[in-house]
Amino acid sequence: MSVRELVVLGTSSQVPTRHRNHNGYLLRWDGEGLLFDPGEGTQRQLLLAGVSAGSITRLCLTHFHGDHCLGVPGVLQRMSLDGVPHPLRAYFPASGQEYFSRLRRASIFHDTLDVREHPIDADGPVAEDAFGRLETLRLDHSVPSIGYRLIEPDSRRMVPELLTRFGIAGPIVGQLQRTGEVDVGGRRVRLSEVSEPRRGQRVAFVMDTRLCDAVFALAEDADLLVIEATFLDSDAELASRYGHLTARQAGQVAAAGGVRRLVLTHFSQRYEDAARHRDEAGEVFDGEVIVAEDLMRIPVPRRA
């Protein structure tokens, strides 16, 4: 059975707190495990979340500030220790190649992991496979930073009533899905006659950035938007100065993009309670708002 969910491993920003670890987000997507921005302590958070490091197939870094990447050495070394047999594809801003190389070889260990590096220096698709299409766009932060979105291909949903009407059942259904048409009782039946369009699901991941066009583009039509909300609106000047978003801005992005489920995260340690972040986002976005907590599991919404 396929699983599509976000496992939240950490939700703080620059400074971890007693209750919030540095960043870390694992998107479980059928047979893929996309690990976004593993900060310090991610290896232990995986253990606490009950998730094997061996489930990680792709590493996606938005930028090279420590709270978004200092967990890389521990995760890679754990995957080597566990003898993970599959390759790990690593995506990161090309300008940070030097930093990734340092993280990759941060200490002495028996390296058995097949890491395939994909430095990114332009907007657009960076991977396309059966799992969907992974795209990046450049954001507006104090250092080079990128956002990600995963887009599942559109498909068609079989309509049982129409299948029955045309007398299609059993193995013929699979044949119809593969070939697009079948002969039934001397009549040619096309896939379009017994099915309806089904839009692929979309997940967007937006970390450190000021408000910019790329943020809105990444969030457009997202079923799940994971987005930083480092500051409250009362600290909007600080947010702009340091290249971050407020909770209200995150809500505005979700509203403009028609997002279905909004996940706020990356909270400054200055705030003891993130309930106000939910309130601010909810003032401008009338959809579902989730304030992320460490070790929370958030399902990707079922297809509409």
Side-chain angles (χ1 to χ4, degrees), residues 5-176:
E5 66 174 359
L6 179 74
V7 181
V8 180
L9 303 170
T11 55
S12 75
S13 54
Q14 187 176 27
V15 177
T17 71
R18 290 176 180 269
H19 306 290
R20 295 188 182 278
N21 197 70
H22 267 162
N23 284 287
Y25 312 88
L26 179 68
L27 178 63
R28 300 178 68 202
W29 186 269
D30 300 338
E32 295 277 343
L34 293 87
L35 179 62
F36 292 90
D37 283 11
E40 215 174 326
T42 294
Q43 180 185 177
R44 186 167 185 272
Q45 295 295 97
L46 285 167
L47 179 65
L48 294 175
V51 178
S52 168
S55 66
I56 302 169
T57 59
R58 299 174 193 266
L59 172 64
C60 305
L61 303 181
T62 61
H63 64 294
F64 285 95
H65 277 151
D67 54 321
H68 296 260
C69 68
L70 284 179
V72 168
V75 170
L76 298 189
Q77 291 181 33
R78 178 57 186 270
M79 293 180 74
S80 281
L81 180 65
D82 291 349
V84 172
H86 60 255
L88 175 71
R89 302 188 180 278
Y91 308 93
F92 53 86
S95 60
Q97 177 68 68
E98 175 185 0
Y99 299 107
F100 186 82
S101 298
R102 291 177 183 174
L103 293 166
R104 179 84 177 87
R105 306 292 180 187
S107 67
I108 299 172
F109 70 105
H110 181 52
D111 187 6
T112 63
L113 186 62
D114 178 10
V115 178
R116 302 182 184 181
E117 300 181 13
H118 299 270
I120 298 167
D121 58 8
D123 293 342
V126 297
E128 191 158 6
D129 210 330
F131 75 97
R133 184 171 71 253
L134 186 64
E135 299 180 342
T136 63
L137 291 175
R138 284 168 290 185
L139 299 174
D140 180 14
H141 192 39
S142 56
V143 299
S145 183
I146 56 179
Y148 293 84
R149 65 179 170 187
L150 177 61
I151 302 176
E152 179 186 32
D154 293 339
S155 60
R156 300 192 69 86
R157 186 186 75 84
M158 308 304 288
V159 180
E161 296 82 1
L162 296 177
L163 291 172
T164 301
R165 181 185 304 172
F166 286 98
I168 299 175
I172 300 178
V173 176
Q175 180 184 346
L176 177 59

Side-chain angles (χ1 to χ4, degrees), residues 169-186:
I172 300 178
V173 176
Q175 180 184 346
L176 177 59
Q177 291 174 317
R178 291 190 301 272
T179 64
E181 57 184 22
V182 293
D183 286 321
V184 180

